[in-house]
Structure formats: structure tokens, C-alpha cells
Amino acid sequence: MTAREYDLIVIGAGAVGENVADRAAQGGLSTVIVEAELVGGECSYWACMPSKALLRSAASLRAARDLDGAKQAVTGRLDVAGVLRRRDAITHDWNDDSQVSWVEGAGIDLVRGHARFTGPKEVVVEAPDGTVTHLTATHAVAVCTGSAALLPDIPGLRDIEPWTSRDATSAHDIPRSLAIIGGGVVACEMATAYAGFGTEVTMVVRGAGLLDAMEPFASDLVRSSLEGLGVDLRFGVETTEARRDDGGAELVLSDGSIVSAEQVLVAVGRVPHTLDLGVEMIGLEAGRWLDVDDTMLVTGTDWLYAVGDVNHRVLLTHQGKYQARAAGDVIAARALGRRVDDRPWGVHVATADHDAVPQVTFTDPEVASVGLTEAAARKAGRRIRVLDYDLSWVAGASAYADHYTGQARAIVDEDRGVLIGATFVGPEVAELLHSATIAIVGEVPIERLWHAVPPYPTVSEVWLRFLEAYGRPTT
């Protein structure tokens, strides 16, 4: 057994763990990062990057076919093999050499293998070849292990070996038919991607709509789009049994109907990667999310941090990286005896993931949202005004496409005169989102936004339309 000591041990070398380690190393701490799979983690190889690669080509083809002059030049069908080649290139064929080089260049040590706690600040790592390394932290350990797909307790489901999001984003054989259990972000994105490949897609959704945490019009527009792609949507039903036969799989639904498909994708939620981490050795319950404060310090400890999905605050890569910058700064500051708020640069504590979270769902059309929805704002007791605008009425939309379909909503806190929420649905509206995020996080007064002039003709002119709907400033 090899024994090593560091100021900070980071468990998990995904985007979150990399940022914690990098920020702490920049702060002067000796840092080691432990990874059981690929350096770069879920986002690089099985989530954000490959899923967007799978979606982009078909979306571009549909956009070209909706533009006179371009559609006449589109004479072929989507080359699925080409899409998969591009996905493989973006994931570097699931090779992490470039990520390892970055870690080494940042002055961070890397230990490969499965980590388990043996006590406070004590971690044992078992490598695939059986080599064991004992790590001790003088100051802190950061758990950045992320989350995994939830498999619900449906009779027969595990026996049919369904896909999770990992399988869907890394597949090299595209099924003729795919049944998706779920109606959230992963379910909608993968339904869009596989329908674009020509796969016959059926979605089994327990609720009455899609993307139920978002504005209702987002659900309606995505639903219309999926139906236009030929997706069979089954709402208000649950899967009561799963079974496999020679032709594929069958899902028995609560209304008595049966869905048959070559493959089944389960996309109904996430669970934390804490089950086989040895957290019971430090007084925590295995398989549970880790509760933290705004410095990412785990409740009841003074040395253990949990960053990213595993703390269940916001399960999004960009928010995890934001938390990671805060955690790395705080760990370094505390280790060196500095007050947390004494750092002259960077993020001190994470607060933007309370009610200013930006998120993009890369369906076609895209859904981009930040802050509170109307329902969430009213539930919170805010006195609000809702501003709605049809994006197809903006001049930039007509320049973008011949048949632009989109909708935008802004939520204004009337007591403070600031924006607290925004949702955009339409082609490539993701690029509108950061301006809304800045307005919300910066608490920019509505009257001041009149001086942020949007260029013409672009879809961002919707900001002017919001202001016109709200009314002219009084001063």
C-alpha cells in the first residue's frame, strides 16, 4: 500500500472536481484528484457534450429545410453514421489523455481507482490492477462524484436491461424503435435526437405534460415539435411491467395498453453517487444526497465538502462548476487562515443556485430559462407582472427562418422593479439566456434596461418588446 498526504483530496475528476482542484491549487494547496472512470467525467463523455452532438446535425438540417433558397439545396437525408462520427470526435473516442494532460499541467496529482472513506480525512483508493493507495487530507476532502440515472422499481425493468442516458448518448447501433419512460429534459432531448435519426419513438409520461418544472408554453411548444417529428406521446400513464421477447421489449402501461420497442430508455430522475463511497465510516448514510451550506461544506462537518450533483442543489454542469469555484476558493482560504470574504477575486460563496439558475433544454425548439417561473414566483408570494411576447413577431425572427415559432416570457418583481425570471422557446434561443441571467443576478432596474439597446434585426430585440409592454420609464 502506498501512502500520501495532501492538503486537499478531491473525489471525482469530472468538470466539477477539476474546478475544485484547480481553484484550490491556484490558492496554494497541494491537491490530489481521484477518478474511477475517465478524467473529464459525465459531461464530457456521456451527457452534455455527446448529447448535443447527437442533436445538432438533425436540427441544422431541419433549419435549412425551413429557409427558401437553402431548402432547394438539401437533397439528401441525415447521415446518421456521420452524426455518430462527429459525436465520437467530440468525446475523443472516450479517451481522456487530453484531460489528464490538463490535470498534470495544473499541478494536480491524479490517482485512478475507486475511492472509499476509511475515516475523517482518510481515503483508500483501489486501482483496477489491485494497487491500493492510502490518502490523507490535512485540511479537506471534496466529494464531486455526481449522480447516476434512477431505475424505478418496476417489475421486470432491470431484467430487460434498459438504456440509461449514458447508453443513449454513447450508442453506436441506432434502434429501429425506442420507448422512453419519462418526460423531463433527458427524455425530451433524446426523443428529439432519435426521432431525427428516423427511429420510431414512443414516450411514456406519467404527468399531463412535458418539462413540468418549466412554463406551460414551453411544454406545449416542445410537445408540438415532438409530435411533428412523429413521436408517439402517451400522457397520464405509468409503466406497470416490463418484459423482453425476441422482437425487443414490451412495456405494460397502467391503462392496459402495451408499448413495443426494440430498446427502452429510462429517464425519470437521478440518484447520488454515494452508495459505495464508504460515507458510513464518517457518520453519513450511504446512497443519500449530501446537504451543504453556501460554501459547499457538508452539514455537521468542518472538513468535508460536497460539490455538484451530489449535493442536490442544482443538477447542471455549469452550476456545479460555479459551486466548484466557490468551494475551491473557500477551502484554500480556510486552510490558509483567511476569512472567506477576504479574497480579492473570484467567487466567495455560491448563492446564484438558489433562484437564478440558467438552464437550456436542447430540443427543437430550444427552451432557455433562468430564475423563477410565473408559478414559482406566485408560490413564493412575490408581487409580479408577467410579460409575454411571440418571438415570431420580432424582425430578427423573419430573417432567421421562413416559419419561426417561438415564445418569450419575463417575470418582473413589482416591489423591486427588477427581473426575476425569463423563459425563451425557439430556435437557438440559448444564446439569449445569458443577457437575462445578467439582468437577474445583477438586479438591473427595469428603467435602466431601456439603455441596453438590442441590435436590429435580431431575435434579442425581444428585450425592447418586453420593455414596451411594461411601459415607459417615469424618470
Side-chain angles (χ1 to χ4, degrees):
M1 177 184 290
T2 303
R4 303 182 194 175
E5 184 176 272
Y6 294 87
D7 293 328
L8 170 65
I9 300 168
V10 178
I11 304 176
V16 173
E18 287 177 330
N19 274 270
V20 173
D22 183 44
R23 205 75 165 206
Q26 289 186 45
L29 302 191
S30 62
T31 304
V32 62
I33 194 164
V34 182
E35 178 54 52
E37 295 185 292
L38 295 176
V39 176
E42 198 79 9
C43 181
S44 296
Y45 305 103
W46 297 287
C48 317
M49 297 307 294
S51 66
K52 304 315 166 279
L54 294 179
L55 286 156
R56 181 61 182 172
S57 297
S60 298
L61 186 59
R62 287 190 292 268
R65 286 173 172 163
D66 191 36
L67 198 62
D68 198 10
K71 64 184 179 182
Q72 289 83 358
V74 179
T75 58
R77 301 178 62 181
L78 183 73
D79 183 348
V80 177
V83 175
L84 299 182
R85 283 195 303 273
R86 183 170 183 268
R87 184 273 318 271
D88 293 349
I90 285 175
T91 60
H92 300 282
D93 291 305
W94 291 272
N95 180 293
D96 65 358
D97 286 350
S98 62
Q99 298 270 19
V100 171
S101 294
W102 178 88
V103 169
E104 293 172 347
I108 302 163
D109 284 354
L110 171 66
V111 176
R112 289 191 183 271
H114 181 76
R116 288 182 59 85
F117 285 100
T118 56
K121 301 182 184 179
E122 300 285 337
V123 174
V124 168
V125 182
E126 183 175 353
D129 64 2
T131 302
V132 176
T133 304
H134 185 272
L135 302 175
T136 301
T138 57
H139 292 291
V141 178
V143 177
C144 308
T145 50
S147 63
L150 168 66
L151 286 182
D153 189 17
I154 296 171
L157 184 61
R158 291 181 183 274
D159 295 334
I160 70 169
E161 299 181 339
W163 276 1
T164 65
S165 56
R166 275 194 166 204
D167 303 295
T169 58
S170 61
H172 282 87
D173 295 316
I174 303 303
R176 293 184 302 276
S177 55
L178 177 66
I180 301 176
I181 303 175
V185 172
V186 172
C188 289
E189 287 189 351
M190 290 299 96
T192 303
Y194 277 82
F197 296 154
T199 298
E200 181 183 311
V201 178
T202 303
M203 295 181 70
V204 179
V205 185
R206 181 173 61 182
L210 304 169
L211 306 171
D212 56 8
M214 300 181 187
E215 297 286 8
F217 65 83
S219 173
D220 293 342
L221 288 172
V222 171
R223 174 178 179 169
S224 177
S225 171
L226 289 172
E227 289 174 339
L229 292 175
V231 176
D232 180 5
L233 295 162
R234 310 283 186 94
F235 291 106
V237 291
E238 297 185 56
T239 303
T240 59
E241 182 185 354
R243 57 198 182 214
R244 188 170 288 281
D245 57 25
D246 293 339
E250 288 186 342
L251 301 180
V252 180
L253 307 186
S254 55
D255 63 0
S257 63
I258 294 176
V259 173
S260 298
E262 183 178 330
Q263 189 54 263
V264 173
L265 166 62
V266 179
V268 295
R270 309 288 292 180
V271 293
H273 268 310
T274 59
L275 188 61
D276 192 23
L277 196 58
V279 294
E280 62 274 12
M281 299 298 292
I282 53 174
L284 300 174
E285 185 177 346
R288 298 292 298 272
W289 305 99
L290 301 180
D291 294 329
V292 298
D293 64 14
D294 284 345
T295 68
M296 304 298 114
L297 186 67
V298 173
T299 304
T301 77
D302 62 1
W303 60 273
L304 182 64
Y305 294 77
V307 193
D309 281 15
V310 74
N311 66 34
H312 207 230
R313 283 164 65 117
V314 182
L315 278 65
L316 295 168
T317 297
H318 48 276
Q319 291 294 143
K321 291 167 68 174
Y322 163 73
Q323 292 176 2
R325 293 188 289 271
D329 284 358
V330 167
I331 291 168
R334 286 173 174 162
L336 299 174
R338 295 196 300 260
R339 286 171 53 90
V340 169
D341 58 1
D342 278 348
R343 289 189 70 90
W345 55 272
V347 179
H348 307 303
V349 295
T351 57
D353 53 6
H354 293 307
D355 54 15
V357 177
Q359 178 176 1
V360 179
T361 303
F362 290 88
T363 44
D364 188 5
E366 292 176 351
V367 180
S369 61
V370 59
L372 302 179
T373 62
E374 177 185 1
R378 295 194 188 284
K379 184 177 180 180
R382 305 288 184 94
R383 189 172 69 90
I384 64 171
R385 184 170 173 189
V386 179
L387 308 174
D388 286 322
Y389 197 80
D390 187 330
L391 284 176
S392 68
W393 298 343
V394 179
S398 62
Y400 183 89
D402 292 344
H403 303 93
Y404 192 103
T405 299
Q407 184 69 33
R409 170 171 289 179
I411 310 295
V412 179
D413 184 324
E414 289 284 74
D415 292 326
R416 294 188 296 139
V418 297
L419 196 70
I420 58 173
T423 298
F424 307 94
V425 182
E428 300 190 23
V429 292
E431 301 305 330
L432 290 175
L433 191 58
H434 196 52
S435 54
T437 303
I438 292 170
I440 292 171
V441 173
E443 298 182 327
V444 181
I446 292 293
E447 63 183 29
R448 186 61 191 164
L449 287 178
W450 280 94
H451 299 282
V453 182
Y456 180 92
T458 65
V459 179
S460 63
E461 197 184 11
V462 67
W463 283 100
L464 177 58
R465 304 304 173 217
F466 281 152
L467 292 167
E468 290 173 340
Y470 189 75
R472 298 181 63 184
T474 57
T475 59

